[in-house]
Protein backbone atom coordinates (compact mmCIF):
# COMPACT_ATOMS: atom_id res chain seq x y z
CA UNK A 1 0.00 0.00 0.00
CA UNK A 2 1.22 3.49 -0.89
CA UNK A 3 0.71 5.74 2.15
CA UNK A 4 -0.73 9.06 0.97
CA UNK A 5 -2.25 10.33 4.22
CA UNK A 6 -2.40 9.26 7.87
CA UNK A 7 -3.86 10.89 10.94
CA UNK A 8 -4.84 10.00 14.48
CA UNK A 9 -8.58 10.46 14.10
CA UNK A 10 -10.22 8.87 17.16
CA UNK A 11 -9.01 8.32 20.74
CA UNK A 12 -11.14 6.27 23.16
CA UNK A 13 -10.51 6.01 26.90
CA UNK A 14 -12.11 3.69 29.43
CA UNK A 15 -15.19 5.89 29.73
CA UNK A 16 -15.54 6.60 26.00
CA UNK A 17 -18.20 5.13 23.76
CA UNK A 18 -16.59 3.17 20.95
CA UNK A 19 -17.27 4.69 17.52
CA UNK A 20 -19.34 3.03 14.83
CA UNK A 21 -16.87 3.58 11.98
CA UNK A 22 -17.44 3.28 8.25
CA UNK A 23 -14.01 1.88 7.30
CA UNK A 24 -12.41 -1.56 7.78
CA UNK A 25 -10.21 -1.88 10.86
CA UNK A 26 -6.98 -3.75 11.54
CA UNK A 27 -6.26 -4.03 15.27
CA UNK A 28 -2.83 -4.39 16.89
CA UNK A 29 -2.41 -5.95 20.33
CA UNK A 30 0.65 -6.78 22.39
CA UNK A 31 2.14 -6.57 25.83
CA UNK A 32 3.61 -3.31 27.06
CA UNK A 33 6.96 -2.38 25.49
CA UNK A 34 6.76 -5.03 22.75
CA UNK A 35 7.18 -2.34 20.09
CA UNK A 36 3.57 -1.75 19.05
CA UNK A 37 3.85 2.03 18.63
CA UNK A 38 7.14 1.62 16.74
CA UNK A 39 5.47 -0.88 14.41
CA UNK A 40 2.54 1.43 13.70
CA UNK A 41 4.90 4.35 13.03
CA UNK A 42 6.91 2.12 10.72
CA UNK A 43 3.86 0.95 8.80
CA UNK A 44 2.70 4.54 8.32
CA UNK A 45 6.18 5.92 7.45
CA UNK A 46 6.03 8.30 10.38
CA UNK A 47 8.56 8.79 13.17
CA UNK A 48 6.32 9.83 16.02
CA UNK A 49 2.63 9.72 15.11
CA UNK A 50 2.16 6.88 17.58
CA UNK A 51 3.95 7.85 20.79
CA UNK A 52 6.81 5.53 21.69
CA UNK A 53 8.34 5.28 25.14
CA UNK A 54 10.83 3.17 27.07
CA UNK A 55 8.28 3.26 29.87
CA UNK A 56 5.78 0.37 29.55
CA UNK A 57 2.07 1.01 29.78
CA UNK A 58 2.18 4.29 27.84
CA UNK A 59 -0.77 3.50 25.56
CA UNK A 60 -3.85 3.64 27.78
CA UNK A 61 -6.42 4.38 25.08
CA UNK A 62 -7.70 2.78 21.89
CA UNK A 63 -6.29 4.88 19.05
CA UNK A 64 -7.71 4.86 15.53
CA UNK A 65 -5.30 5.91 12.77
CA UNK A 66 -6.96 6.79 9.47
CA UNK A 67 -4.84 5.56 6.53
CA UNK A 68 -5.57 7.03 3.08
CA UNK A 69 -9.18 7.64 4.20
CA UNK A 70 -9.87 4.00 3.39
CA UNK A 71 -9.05 2.04 6.57
CA UNK A 72 -8.08 2.29 10.25
CA UNK A 73 -5.09 0.88 12.06
CA UNK A 74 -6.35 0.45 15.63
CA UNK A 75 -3.77 0.54 18.43
CA UNK A 76 -5.03 -1.32 21.51
CA UNK A 77 -3.66 -0.71 25.04
CA UNK A 78 -0.67 -2.85 25.99
CA UNK A 79 -1.22 -5.63 28.49
CA UNK A 80 0.93 -7.29 31.14
CA UNK A 81 2.34 -4.14 32.74
CA UNK A 82 2.97 -5.07 36.37
CA UNK A 83 3.10 -1.56 37.86
CA UNK A 84 -0.56 -0.71 37.52
CA UNK A 85 -3.31 -1.66 39.93
CA UNK A 86 -5.51 -4.71 39.34
CA UNK A 87 -8.43 -2.30 38.99
CA UNK A 88 -6.69 -0.47 36.14
CA UNK A 89 -5.84 -3.77 34.44
CA UNK A 90 -9.47 -4.77 34.70
CA UNK A 91 -10.59 -1.49 33.11
CA UNK A 92 -8.15 -1.87 30.20
CA UNK A 93 -9.19 -5.50 29.75
CA UNK A 94 -12.87 -4.58 29.64
CA UNK A 95 -12.14 -1.84 27.12
CA UNK A 96 -10.28 -4.19 24.78
CA UNK A 97 -12.87 -6.94 25.19
CA UNK A 98 -15.62 -4.46 24.40
CA UNK A 99 -13.80 -3.41 21.24
CA UNK A 100 -13.18 -6.97 20.03
CA UNK A 101 -16.75 -7.96 20.80
CA UNK A 102 -18.59 -4.96 19.35
CA UNK A 103 -16.57 -3.59 16.41
CA UNK A 104 -18.51 -4.14 13.19
CA UNK A 105 -15.56 -3.21 10.98
CA UNK A 106 -12.77 -5.28 12.54
CA UNK A 107 -11.20 -7.50 9.87
CA UNK A 108 -8.15 -8.93 11.63
CA UNK A 109 -6.16 -8.82 14.87
CA UNK A 110 -2.37 -8.68 14.79
CA UNK A 111 -0.74 -9.95 17.98
CA UNK A 112 2.81 -8.72 18.62
CA UNK A 113 5.27 -11.05 20.35
CA UNK A 114 8.91 -10.27 21.21
CA UNK A 115 10.86 -12.73 19.03
CA UNK A 116 13.70 -12.96 21.56
CA UNK A 117 11.67 -14.70 24.25
CA UNK A 118 9.18 -17.50 24.67
CA UNK A 119 5.59 -16.21 24.77
CA UNK A 120 4.65 -15.15 28.30
CA UNK A 121 1.58 -16.30 30.20
CA UNK A 122 -0.03 -12.95 29.29
CA UNK A 123 0.78 -13.52 25.60
CA UNK A 124 -0.82 -16.97 25.69
CA UNK A 125 -3.86 -15.62 27.52
CA UNK A 126 -4.27 -12.82 24.95
CA UNK A 127 -3.94 -15.22 22.02
CA UNK A 128 -6.57 -17.58 23.47
CA UNK A 129 -8.80 -14.60 24.32
CA UNK A 130 -8.71 -13.23 20.76
CA UNK A 131 -9.50 -16.71 19.41
CA UNK A 132 -12.41 -16.94 21.85
CA UNK A 133 -13.71 -13.63 20.46
CA UNK A 134 -13.89 -15.27 17.01
CA UNK A 135 -10.65 -14.11 15.37
CA UNK A 136 -7.51 -15.95 14.28
CA UNK A 137 -4.65 -13.68 15.40
CA UNK A 138 -1.85 -12.96 12.94
CA UNK A 139 1.47 -13.01 14.77
CA UNK A 140 4.08 -10.27 14.31
CA UNK A 141 7.42 -11.25 15.83
CA UNK A 142 8.96 -7.91 16.78
CA UNK A 143 12.59 -6.91 17.38
CA UNK A 144 13.88 -9.39 14.81
CA UNK A 145 17.08 -7.36 14.43
CA UNK A 146 17.99 -8.32 18.02
CA UNK A 147 18.71 -11.94 17.09
CA UNK A 148 21.03 -13.52 14.53
CA UNK A 149 19.50 -14.27 11.16
CA UNK A 150 20.49 -17.92 11.59
CA UNK A 151 18.30 -18.05 14.73
CA UNK A 152 15.19 -16.60 13.07
CA UNK A 153 13.41 -19.85 12.20
CA UNK A 154 14.21 -21.36 15.60
CA UNK A 155 12.67 -18.40 17.43
CA UNK A 156 9.61 -18.32 15.16
CA UNK A 157 9.09 -22.02 15.91
CA UNK A 158 9.40 -21.17 19.63
CA UNK A 159 6.57 -18.64 19.26
CA UNK A 160 4.44 -21.00 17.18
CA UNK A 161 4.75 -23.81 19.71
CA UNK A 162 4.53 -21.52 22.75
CA UNK A 163 1.20 -20.05 21.66
CA UNK A 164 -0.04 -23.32 20.13
CA UNK A 165 -1.20 -21.36 17.11
CA UNK A 166 -3.58 -22.84 14.59
CA UNK A 167 -2.05 -24.47 11.52
CA UNK A 168 -1.42 -21.96 8.74
CA UNK A 169 -1.25 -18.94 11.06
CA UNK A 170 1.14 -16.35 9.57
CA UNK A 171 4.11 -15.36 11.75
CA UNK A 172 5.80 -12.27 10.32
CA UNK A 173 9.20 -11.12 11.66
CA UNK A 174 9.48 -7.34 12.00
CA UNK A 175 12.25 -4.91 12.89
CA UNK A 176 11.56 -1.27 13.74
CA UNK A 177 15.21 -0.52 12.98
CA UNK A 178 15.53 -2.07 9.52
CA UNK A 179 11.79 -2.16 8.61
CA UNK A 180 12.17 -5.85 7.80
CA UNK A 181 8.67 -7.26 7.40
CA UNK A 182 6.93 -3.96 6.66
CA UNK A 183 6.14 -4.86 3.05
CA UNK A 184 4.96 -8.36 4.01
CA UNK A 185 2.58 -6.95 6.63
CA UNK A 186 1.09 -4.45 4.17
CA UNK A 187 0.76 -7.14 1.48
CA UNK A 188 -1.21 -9.26 3.94
CA UNK A 189 -3.41 -6.31 4.93
CA UNK A 190 -4.07 -5.53 1.26
CA UNK A 191 -4.99 -9.16 0.68
CA UNK A 192 -7.29 -9.29 3.70
CA UNK A 193 -9.09 -6.13 2.61
CA UNK A 194 -9.27 -7.13 -1.04
CA UNK A 195 -7.34 -4.06 -2.16
CA UNK A 196 -5.19 -6.06 -4.60
CA UNK A 197 -8.27 -7.59 -6.18
CA UNK A 198 -9.83 -4.14 -6.56
CA UNK A 199 -6.69 -2.76 -8.19
CA UNK A 200 -6.43 -5.74 -10.55
CA UNK A 201 -10.12 -5.42 -11.48
CA UNK A 202 -9.71 -1.70 -12.22
CA UNK A 203 -6.64 -2.39 -14.37
CA UNK A 204 -8.53 -5.12 -16.24
CA UNK A 205 -11.46 -2.76 -16.84
CA UNK A 206 -9.07 -0.10 -18.15
CA UNK A 207 -7.50 -2.63 -20.53
CA UNK A 208 -10.92 -3.68 -21.86
CA UNK A 209 -11.95 -0.05 -22.33
CA UNK A 210 -8.71 0.63 -24.19
CA UNK A 211 -9.22 -2.36 -26.49
CA UNK A 212 -12.85 -1.43 -27.18
CA UNK A 213 -11.78 2.13 -27.93
CA UNK A 214 -9.42 0.84 -30.62
Amino acid sequence: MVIKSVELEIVCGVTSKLPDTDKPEMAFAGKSNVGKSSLINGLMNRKSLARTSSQPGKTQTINYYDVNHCMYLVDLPGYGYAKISPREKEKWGQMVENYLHTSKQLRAVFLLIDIRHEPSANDKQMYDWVVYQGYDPIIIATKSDKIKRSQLQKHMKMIREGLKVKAGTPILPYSAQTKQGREEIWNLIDELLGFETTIESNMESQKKSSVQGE
Side-chain angles (χ1 to χ4, degrees):
M1 177 178 288
V2 178
I3 307 300
K4 296 179 180 179
S5 67
V6 293
E7 64 177 313
L8 175 57
E9 186 171 294
I10 304 168
V11 177
C12 292
V14 291
T15 60
S16 304
K17 184 176 184 288
L18 291 173
D20 187 8
T21 67
D22 60 352
K23 303 181 185 72
E25 299 166 11
M26 294 284 164
F28 292 81
K31 68 182 179 183
S32 297
N33 222 25
V34 75
K36 192 153 45 65
S37 295
S38 295
L39 168 69
I40 289 174
N41 283 329
L43 290 176
M44 297 188 296
N45 281 334
R46 298 294 188 274
K47 290 185 177 180
S48 58
L49 188 60
R51 290 187 301 171
T52 60
S53 174
S54 58
Q55 177 185 354
K58 196 70 175 177
T59 303
Q60 301 180 18
T61 53
I62 297 179
N63 299 331
Y64 293 70
Y65 295 92
D66 183 312
V67 180
N68 292 349
H69 305 298
C70 67
M71 65 169 293
Y72 287 110
L73 297 185
V74 181
D75 185 8
L76 301 176
Y79 57 83
Y81 182 43
K83 294 183 180 181
I84 61 171
S85 69
R87 178 59 182 155
E88 286 300 307
K89 287 182 183 179
E90 184 181 353
K91 286 181 180 179
W92 291 9
Q94 289 173 347
M95 181 166 58
V96 174
E97 181 177 14
N98 188 31
Y99 170 75
L100 294 176
H101 190 65
T102 63
S103 173
K104 298 175 183 177
Q105 295 290 351
L106 182 57
R107 299 293 185 268
V109 178
F110 290 82
L111 178 59
L112 280 62
I113 305 292
D114 189 330
I115 198 171
R116 299 172 297 177
H117 312 296
E118 290 188 17
S120 66
N122 283 318
D123 291 328
K124 296 173 186 177
Q125 184 180 23
M126 188 66 182
Y127 178 83
D128 293 341
W129 190 32
V130 174
V131 171
Y132 179 76
Q133 296 295 330
Y135 298 94
D136 293 329
I138 297 162
I139 309 302
I140 298 179
T142 62
K143 308 189 181 185
S144 63
D145 57 288
K146 304 297 185 183
I147 63 171
K148 295 179 180 179
R149 186 172 297 181
S150 60
Q151 296 293 306
L152 192 64
Q153 293 303 319
K154 175 184 175 182
H155 282 252
M156 288 172 65
K157 181 181 179 183
M158 178 177 70
I159 291 174
R160 188 179 299 278
E161 292 178 350
L163 293 177
K164 298 179 181 178
V165 300
K166 292 184 178 181
T169 297
I171 299 181
L172 307 174
Y174 178 78
S175 166
Q177 299 299 318
T178 67
K179 300 302 183 289
Q180 174 202 8
R182 180 184 184 276
E183 184 176 348
E184 289 78 5
I185 295 170
W186 271 124
N187 287 343
L188 182 54
I189 291 175
D190 286 343
E191 182 181 336
L192 289 168
L193 295 180
F195 287 167
E196 287 184 337
T197 303
T198 302
I199 292 171
E200 290 171 1
S201 298
N202 289 341
M203 290 178 65
E204 192 64 31
S205 298
Q206 290 173 2
K207 286 180 182 178
K208 288 181 180 179
S209 298
S210 178
V211 170
Q212 291 173 355
E214 295 173 355

